[in-house]
Amino acid sequence: MKRFLIKLIAFTLIIAAIFLPVTIIVDPYNVFHYAAPRNNGVEPNKNFIKTKFILNHKDEYDSLVFGSSRAGFFHVDMLPDGTYYDMASSEALPAEHVRTLKIMIRNGFVPKNVVVLVDDISCFVDPASHESILYRVPYPEDDLFSQISFYMRYCDLLTTFEAFDVINKHQDTDPEYTKRFQTTGTENLNIAPEFDGTMNGTPAVGYWADYYSLRTEEAIADMQELIDLCKDNNINLKILTNPLYYLTYEKAVENGYLDFLEELSKITDFYNFSSISSVTTANGCYYETSHFTPQVGIWMIGAVYEDNIDKPVKDQGFGVHVTKENREEFIQFLRDQAVENGITPYEEAE
């Protein structure tokens, strides 16, 4: 029995010695190449690699932008009073922002400013669902077991083999990919929008996933924790809603998005860009029905930091600063506006 165990251990070590370097070198999700991620055609785990990057460059940044991938097209270089890094990652949620910020604070990085972009994803997605998606697995805790468990997820030879086919066929047309990661963290802000309101020749529909389910109470609790964390650490926090494309906004409202915004308005002020407006109905302001263009982000920054927004579009709900003084009136405006546009808000649908 003892001899068998020795042989088994030896065999395991030999296999590991052969295949482990392969998974680390190929590294489809870039977790082993966080300092210089490759544009290999596979969505990297940006939650992890961006957090790791900031923790290793604490002196180069003093402010952060959090949000889902929609926040990736935000001109962080135009934000005032700080040197910002864009932490946007696929379907990132308030609970994950809290987790990441806590880890950063424990490790000696306390940002001066935090900007958080929220939307329907914030209140429709369960953070637990990300534990099984390799490009969305949250950053591990500081203990050794969590660290080892995290990396072991990415040492699966079958996963690496399947990803290798994608990597092998991918043509890199973005030579600035790594440089952007190492400077601002944004997506390519020079991509020209070509969206014409159709998807593969058929009329576009609102962005919606079959696993979406309204979880307002949990999302608001996560937002409250984020607010408290920033307050306790003297972090200047600004909260913005993403300008959802009107068809996506319609789906969101029908499923309870305005209930989330109403509850959010009870615990904090925020800048609203979610409504039916001349921006959110313009195809040229979007890459598809999910991601808005950098130009929209510029308008958002102007509205928040300079109160520079055209009155007609502000009257449509784009760029309104929602406070405790106007929150009830404004949320009612959004509900009335939805009805006027043939949308049945979730509260009324019930």
Side-chain angles (χ1 to χ4, degrees), residues 29-31 34 43-55 64-69 85-101 103-104 127 130-131 133-141 150 154 177 181 185 187:
Y29 298 96
N30 276 296
V31 297
Y34 75 89
E43 175 74 16
N45 185 339
K46 292 177 183 176
N47 182 303
F48 173 80
I49 64 176
K50 289 185 175 184
T51 303
K52 190 79 170 177
F53 180 78
I54 287 295
L55 290 178
L64 302 172
V65 171
F66 284 103
S68 68
S69 59
Y85 188 83
D86 195 332
M87 295 293 296
S89 64
S90 177
E91 213 174 69
L93 301 165
E96 293 165 338
H97 307 334
V98 172
R99 178 193 180 105
T100 299
L101 195 52
I103 290 172
M104 288 182 170
H130 291 175
E131 293 286 347
I133 303 174
L134 289 177
Y135 59 90
R136 291 174 178 163
V137 178
Y139 194 90
E141 296 295 337
F150 175 85
Y154 298 90
Y177 182 90
F181 171 83
E187 300 300 319

Side-chain angles (χ1 to χ4, degrees), residues 92-277:
L93 301 165
E96 293 165 338
H97 307 334
V98 172
R99 178 193 180 105
T100 299
L101 195 52
K102 283 182 175 179
I103 290 172
M104 288 182 170
I105 291 171
R106 286 201 304 268
N107 284 274
F109 180 78
V110 183
K112 178 171 63 172
N113 303 293
V114 164
V115 177
V116 178
L117 278 66
V118 299
D119 55 28
D120 56 334
I121 288 174
S122 305
C123 63
F124 288 148
V125 178
D126 184 353
S129 67
H130 291 175
E131 293 286 347
S132 59
I133 303 174
L134 289 177
Y135 59 90
R136 291 174 178 163
V137 178
Y139 194 90
E141 296 295 337
D142 298 329
D143 63 280
L144 183 61
F145 177 78
S146 295
Q147 296 281 329
I148 292 175
S149 297
F150 175 85
Y151 284 110
M152 286 302 293
R153 292 171 180 257
Y154 298 90
C155 293
D156 176 24
L157 195 61
L158 178 60
T159 299
T160 301
F161 178 77
E162 292 174 345
F164 186 74
D165 185 54
V166 175
I167 295 171
N168 191 47
K169 294 177 180 178
H170 178 66
Q171 294 184 352
D172 187 0
T173 59
D174 186 3
E176 299 296 312
Y177 182 90
T178 302
K179 182 179 179 181
R180 283 198 313 277
F181 171 83
Q182 295 172 333
T183 53
T184 63
T186 68
E187 300 300 319
N188 186 351
L189 304 183
N190 295 317
I191 299 176
E194 298 179 350
F195 180 53
D196 63 358
T198 65
M199 303 294 286
N200 298 319
T202 61
V205 296
Y207 182 84
W208 187 259
D210 58 8
Y211 54 86
Y212 280 10
S213 178
L214 186 63
R215 50 186 310 278
T216 297
E217 184 176 347
E218 297 91 337
I220 292 299
D222 294 334
M223 290 299 298
Q224 183 65 67
E225 187 175 5
L226 178 63
I227 292 165
D228 293 341
L229 182 63
C230 288
K231 182 178 180 180
D232 292 343
N233 289 276
N234 296 314
I235 299 170
N236 178 37
L237 173 66
K238 287 191 184 302
I239 299 171
L240 289 61
T241 65
N242 282 323
L244 299 175
Y245 184 65
Y246 78 102
L247 292 176
T248 299
Y249 179 73
E250 177 179 340
K251 291 285 292 184
V253 171
E254 290 174 344
N255 286 276
Y257 181 48
L258 296 187
D259 290 354
F260 168 70
L261 292 186
E262 181 173 9
E263 294 304 312
L264 182 63
S265 72
K266 294 177 182 179
I267 65 170
T268 185
D269 68 327
F270 61 90
Y271 291 86
N272 184 76
F273 297 93
S274 291
S275 66
I276 302 295
S277 71

Side-chain angles (χ1 to χ4, degrees), residues 71-84:
F73 294 93
F74 207 61
H75 266 283
V76 296
D77 56 328
M78 297 180 66
L79 291 168
D81 189 37
T83 303
Y84 286 77

